[in-house]
Amino acid sequence: MIPLFTWPMNDVLAQHVKQLIDEEVPEGQHVEYKQTLPCGDAKGDPWLGEGKKIGNEARDKILAEVIAFANAEGGTVVVGIEETDDHPKRAKDINHLPKCHELADRFRLSARDCIDPQLPTIEVFSVETSKRPKGSGVVVFRVPASRLSPHRLTTTREVHIRRADRTEKMTMREIQDQSIKSASVLSALEAMFEDRRATPREFIKEGAFHGVQRL
């Protein structure tokens, strides 16, 4: 078991990030790597320069991966991992991102503001992997499968899903089918909770009828 994927986030250390490299852990249905913050500009994402702002392209592309996992079986996105060129891609090296702790905080806020409906549970944390420059490391997103799916990215209005080692846009039919499925699951849960709430009430009524004062 890979600690980076399963251990409490406060217990994850640089050596656990390095384990991805040592064991050449591949991408797949539940794992996605990003070497750096995606950017079409040759200058790179603004965060890599001044460290004050995440570019819109980096925000949207990384959150699309997060949404894809939430709409499928869940998974982990690690930003700051260089990949091999073969298929499936495997972890090759660590690309230490500057101010990784602050970067994780920014992404945590972006996930809250740019994903609809909001993900009920998501872990976004950083792991410092280098002291040069100080505070450099990787950012990790751990995303469980969501009962509120399908989720969409509000900035692009697009809905993504994970298929094997790829993130793809969902078709309108898939969105409709998943919406119906989620509604059915929520209805079943509501019915179960209502049944459990009703059970103590019936027990109390029955006890009162027979003069029972203690539960």
Side-chain angles (χ1 to χ4, degrees), residues 2-179:
I2 305 296
L4 185 69
F5 301 153
T6 59
W7 282 20
M9 60 184 185
N10 292 331
D11 294 338
V12 177
L13 305 174
Q15 66 196 56
H16 300 133
V17 179
K18 189 175 182 299
Q19 182 182 2
L20 299 178
I21 315 303
D22 295 340
E23 298 185 12
E24 298 184 322
V25 178
E27 287 186 335
Q29 180 68 35
H30 305 103
V31 181
E32 172 68 24
Y33 301 129
K34 294 293 183 187
Q35 178 175 339
T36 187
L37 300 175
C39 182
D41 192 329
K43 296 180 181 179
D45 186 87
W47 186 269
L48 303 178
E50 299 178 355
K52 295 181 179 180
K53 177 185 177 181
I54 302 172
N56 293 341
E57 182 177 353
R59 177 200 62 201
D60 291 348
K61 287 188 174 181
I62 290 175
L63 291 185
E65 302 286 355
V66 170
I67 288 171
F69 281 131
N71 287 336
E73 300 174 1
T76 303
V77 182
V78 189
V79 185
I81 297 295
E82 182 182 351
E83 310 154 292
T84 60
D85 295 328
D86 54 358
H87 188 271
K89 294 181 178 180
R90 295 168 286 113
K92 178 181 178 181
D93 202 357
I94 301 175
N95 182 37
H96 315 284
L97 301 175
K99 299 182 179 180
C100 65
H101 303 306
E102 296 176 32
L103 182 59
D105 289 339
R106 297 293 181 91
F107 268 117
R108 192 178 299 111
L109 294 175
S110 294
R112 182 195 66 187
D113 296 338
C114 300
I115 297 177
D116 179 48
Q118 288 188 8
L119 294 175
T121 53
I122 178 176
E123 291 181 324
V124 185
F125 61 97
S126 55
V127 183
E128 191 170 329
T129 54
S130 177
K131 298 185 181 302
R132 297 181 182 179
K134 183 180 180 181
S136 298
V138 303
V139 175
V140 182
F141 301 76
R142 292 203 295 217
V143 190
S146 176
R147 290 176 176 170
L148 300 179
S149 62
H151 297 269
R152 67 165 185 162
L153 187 60
T154 59
T155 55
T156 63
R157 298 184 180 275
E158 293 177 344
V159 182
H160 295 82
I161 192 168
R162 189 74 174 185
R163 294 190 177 99
D165 61 344
R166 296 177 60 85
T167 290
E168 300 177 353
K169 293 180 183 179
M170 294 179 68
T171 65
M172 183 58 67
R173 179 60 182 270
E174 288 175 326
I175 294 172
Q176 292 172 343
D177 289 346
Q178 196 165 78
S179 297

